[in-house]
Structures are given as structure tokens and as C-alpha cells.
Amino acid sequence: MRYPPEHKERTRRRILREAARLFRRRGYHGVGIDGIMSAVGLTRGGFYGHFRSKAALFAEVLRGEHDFNRRMRARRSPDRAALTREAHEIVAGYLDPANRERVGRGCFLAALSPDVARAGGTARAAYAERLDELVGEFSRGLEDPQPRDPRALASVALCVGGLVLSRAVGEPRFADAISRACRDAVREQLVDAGEGLAGARG
């Protein structure tokens, strides 16, 4: 039976969706092609009609939409101070202890960084592209932003690194302290210069 072109595209999207979920939960080496295709309800033989290899699939997953990026990109405030306030709210939600496990399982940057570090060039390039995009989003709202602005780079590192560390430690109060410290440090990186001057004058 011949299927219409849209059927193949739908199947490809299903494979990507299930692969993304399984990679985030189990890591790259924790799931194979058979497991991914079983989750989709198909056999291994159908995989190669969509992707050359598991590594190619992994790279494609990394190129997909990242929720952290999407939230930062969705900011629509008209001025720097408002953009910065929105960024603070997004970061607070990202590092909120109540959401730690949900965000940790959902964020590609936090969940898959160790796997990407051991992966090939294609996956690392895809990861770097999304990371660079997020750094650019953090730069929106900064005063006199530079390409790959150090304040934006530090903010992203604090968010992702803070989430990874807080999930890794076994003691809840220690984990919460890490999250709070990283959230506050990001606030310092993103502080609006106008607000700082106003506070100094007050």
C-alpha cells in the first residue's frame, strides 16, 4: 500500500516526538532504535525510511523547538526594563524547586548536555545553534548588548547549570539553595542599568 506524502511526514514527527521524550528521560545511550520505534508503534525497519541513523535522529531532536528558547522569544514588551522583568519571571519559573523535575525532564539543554558532549559534530553543532539562540534571547533587554554578551552567557550557564546541579544532589535543602543562588545571580546579571541608577540615587 502506498501512503500519501503527509502520512510519511506525520510518522516522522511522531518518531521525533517519542525520541525526544525518551532521550530526555533515559539519555542517548539509554534507548535504542527498537525502543523508539516500539514507542511509536512501528518496527525497526520503518526507521530508516526517515533517518539515516540514531545519531542523525539525535541531531534532529536537538534542532527542534526548546521550551526555554520559546518562552524567552515570546517576550513582547516594548522596552528594556519590561523585557528584563519578563526574563526574571521566566528564569524564576525555570529554577523553581516546585518545577525542578518537570523542567529538568523537559529541557534539552539540561537533560542532554552530557550526551551531547560525547556526541559527534552534527549533534554538537545543533546543540550549539540552540544555545546560541538562547544567549541571543537573554541579550534582549540588556543595555548595550554585545554579540554573545558575557551577561547573557553567564545567565544561561547559571540557569542550565543550576538546574543540573539541583537535580543531581540528593538533599532537598541543598538543591533549593542552589536554585535560589543561581536565580539571584541571574538577576544580578540582567539588572537594568536604569533601575540600578535610580536605586543609587534613592
Side-chain angles (χ1 to χ4, degrees):
M1 173 185 286
R2 296 188 63 182
Y3 292 103
E6 57 268 23
H7 174 81
K8 181 173 183 178
E9 182 56 33
R10 283 197 302 270
T11 302
R12 189 176 190 277
R13 288 198 298 267
R14 286 169 58 207
I15 295 171
L16 278 168
R17 183 173 62 250
E18 289 302 320
R21 180 180 65 84
L22 291 168
F23 284 147
R24 290 196 306 268
R25 287 190 174 185
R26 303 181 191 173
Y28 179 77
H29 295 289
V31 61
I33 292 173
D34 288 336
I36 293 167
M37 295 305 285
S38 176
V40 178
L42 298 172
T43 63
R44 181 188 183 94
F47 176 85
Y48 296 99
H50 301 276
F51 302 96
R52 295 191 313 276
S53 64
K54 179 183 164 186
L57 170 62
F58 186 54
E60 193 65 25
V61 164
L62 293 170
R63 289 191 191 96
E65 176 75 295
H66 293 215
D67 189 57
F68 200 1
N69 296 45
R70 181 183 60 78
R71 289 176 183 274
M72 290 293 289
R73 189 170 58 247
R75 293 177 298 156
R76 291 290 183 266
S77 298
D79 58 81
R80 283 195 307 108
L83 283 171
T84 299
R85 284 194 295 273
E86 284 189 74
H88 290 160
E89 292 170 4
I90 293 166
V91 168
Y94 184 85
L95 292 172
D96 187 339
N99 297 324
R100 182 179 295 131
E101 289 306 313
R102 180 186 61 79
V103 174
R105 288 193 302 269
C107 177
F108 291 83
L109 297 172
L112 297 176
S113 291
D115 293 296
V116 173
R118 293 187 289 266
T122 304
R124 296 176 88 171
Y127 181 93
E129 182 178 339
R130 285 292 170 260
L131 180 62
D132 211 14
E133 177 186 275
L134 184 59
V135 170
E137 287 300 329
F138 266 89
S139 294
R140 285 203 302 136
L142 293 177
E143 185 176 21
D144 299 324
Q146 306 299 314
R148 293 182 177 172
D149 194 288
R151 295 165 292 179
L153 285 166
S155 297
V156 172
L158 284 160
C159 288
V160 177
L163 183 59
V164 170
L165 291 176
S166 65
R167 293 185 73 216
V169 300
E171 205 279 296
R173 286 194 294 181
F174 190 9
D176 292 351
I178 292 169
S179 295
R180 285 194 302 272
C182 290
R183 180 200 62 202
D184 294 345
V186 172
R187 182 174 290 275
E188 291 178 9
Q189 293 295 326
L190 300 182
V191 66
D192 183 80
E195 291 179 358
L197 288 171
R201 284 193 294 267

